[in-house]
Amino acid sequence: MASNGPDSHFPPLSSDVIQAGIRGGIWERLLFFDSVDSTNQRGLALPASDLPDQGAVLIAESQTSGRGRRGRNWISTPYRNIYLSAIFSSAALPDDATLLSLLAAVSGAWALRITTGLEVRVKWPNDLMVNNRKIGGILSELRFGSGRPGRAVIGIGINVNSEAGDFPEELREVATSVRVETGDMGSREGIIIEVLKQLEAWHGRLMAEGGTPVLKEWKRLSSTLGKKVRVALADEVVSGIAEAIDEGGMLIVRPRSGESRRISAGDVTELR
Ligand code: BTN
């Protein structure tokens, strides 16, 4: 049975390699942890005085209470995968901070495409998918300061070296990893460096050009648009064609009868 500690198969991350790979950009502070409750939680709790002007990054080898969307748990097997939170400080926030989630999905998809060759697509709102299985997820959280967003914490989890058996039974059909898809061990450092470079590049475009380029790229990478979908909301299920996303990233679903619905949060099943 595989151990869950660092070993020659699953070495710890090299912080030096990651630091060297991203030197000079907006990521002015990198914090590494062996184990935390949740990198997002730590990112939200970090005192403002510890945040640099633009951005900071928290990376953990494992999380004891990794958070997923909609209050779910994010399984965080030690030393196998990527658990990262990128913090955009208040000076680096765009007018519409909700676009940062779409930006993170585009960045994660491109980082994986570049480093692994996998054809990663984005399922609304921001699941990273390969062959209809989830390889990564994004959880964005805002912390407010005097009534307006003071920072955005963009949590990114990517399954890199988990084997099929590492996923609990109920996730085996729907989750995957770089290793499961390619048969090879993925370089966690290489993927992290590319994620941070992509985040920086897309963030630069968002600040300079507004949301249009990010939205356009999200649509190009989307597996959802144009499909028949079922969307589970908190208290109902909406079925129809996923027609579009609006400029704030909401999904517009056209049911067979009745008016189109604009959806801000839900779980999408893509039907065809
Ligand atoms: C999802 O449900 O799809 C979102 C998963 C987000 C997981 C990442 S792992 C790093 C960061 N810290 C957390 O607690 N969650 C996010």
Side-chain angles (χ1 to χ4, degrees):
M1 203 177 140
S3 89
N4 272 342
D7 55 36
S8 53
H9 267 90
F10 300 105
L13 285 166
S14 164
S15 53
D16 289 348
V17 168
I18 296 171
Q19 301 266 14
I22 57 151
R23 193 154 288 146
I26 60 167
W27 305 118
E28 297 159 280
R29 180 139 198 237
L30 265 71
L31 298 170
F32 291 87
F33 303 89
D34 192 45
S35 175
V36 283
D37 42 6
S38 147
T39 56
N40 267 33
Q41 178 53 37
R42 291 294 172 105
L44 290 168
L46 214 60
S49 52
D50 286 0
L51 280 183
D53 273 359
Q54 296 283 306
V57 181
L58 283 70
I59 297 171
E61 291 286 12
S62 67
Q63 301 182 113
T64 51
S65 310
R67 295 183 189 167
R69 283 198 311 118
R70 311 190 84 204
R72 296 193 187 101
N73 181 34
W74 186 259
I75 293 166
S76 307
T77 313
Y79 299 100
R80 305 287 199 273
N81 303 317
I82 293 173
Y83 315 111
L84 171 158
S85 295
I87 307 176
F88 291 98
S89 303
S90 62
L93 290 180
D95 293 338
D96 182 357
T98 60
L99 287 175
L100 290 172
S101 297
L102 302 181
L103 179 150
V106 166
S107 302
W110 270 114
L112 279 170
R113 281 174 171 239
I114 289 166
T115 53
T116 68
L118 290 169
E119 203 184 298
V120 181
R121 304 195 74 83
V122 179
K123 186 173 124 184
W124 187 87
N126 39 40
D127 288 349
L128 303 178
M129 308 293 291
V130 177
N131 294 325
N132 294 321
R133 290 176 190 223
K134 184 159 165 171
I135 199 165
I138 287 154
L139 176 69
S140 306
E141 301 185 83
L142 293 177
R143 178 170 153 177
F144 285 80
S146 44
R148 52 184 212 88
R151 79 184 66 162
V153 178
I154 312 296
I156 304 179
I158 298 177
N159 300 328
V160 181
N161 290 321
S162 272
E163 297 159 275
D166 291 332
F167 297 117
E169 189 79 42
E170 67 276 13
L171 292 185
R172 283 193 197 149
E173 291 297 305
V174 292
T176 193
S177 70
V178 172
R179 187 172 181 197
V180 169
E181 294 298 321
T182 64
D184 295 326
M185 295 285 276
S187 158
R188 292 188 299 155
E189 286 92 347
I191 297 170
I192 288 173
I193 291 167
E194 195 56 43
V195 165
L196 295 174
K197 284 184 175 168
Q198 291 288 327
L199 283 172
E200 179 169 356
W202 284 104
H203 174 260
R205 290 197 70 178
L206 178 62
M207 298 305 266
E209 301 171 49
T212 306
V214 172
L215 281 162
K216 199 168 154 200
E217 192 60 19
W218 187 97
K219 288 175 191 167
R220 234 164 57 82
L221 292 167
S222 162
S223 62
T224 309
L225 295 184
K227 289 234 176 80
K228 191 158 188 271
V229 293
R230 195 167 39 228
V231 191
L233 312 181
D235 47 9
E236 63 170 319
V237 173
V238 175
S239 296
I241 304 291
E243 247 181 356
I245 54 165
D246 70 11
E247 61 290 347
M250 291 219 236
L251 183 68
I252 300 169
V253 175
R254 179 166 44 84
R256 276 178 75 149
S257 60
E259 299 212 337
S260 289
R261 298 280 301 268
R262 201 171 281 256
I263 295 169
S264 63
D267 286 323
V268 169
T269 306
E270 297 173 347
L271 300 172
R272 63 176 159 75

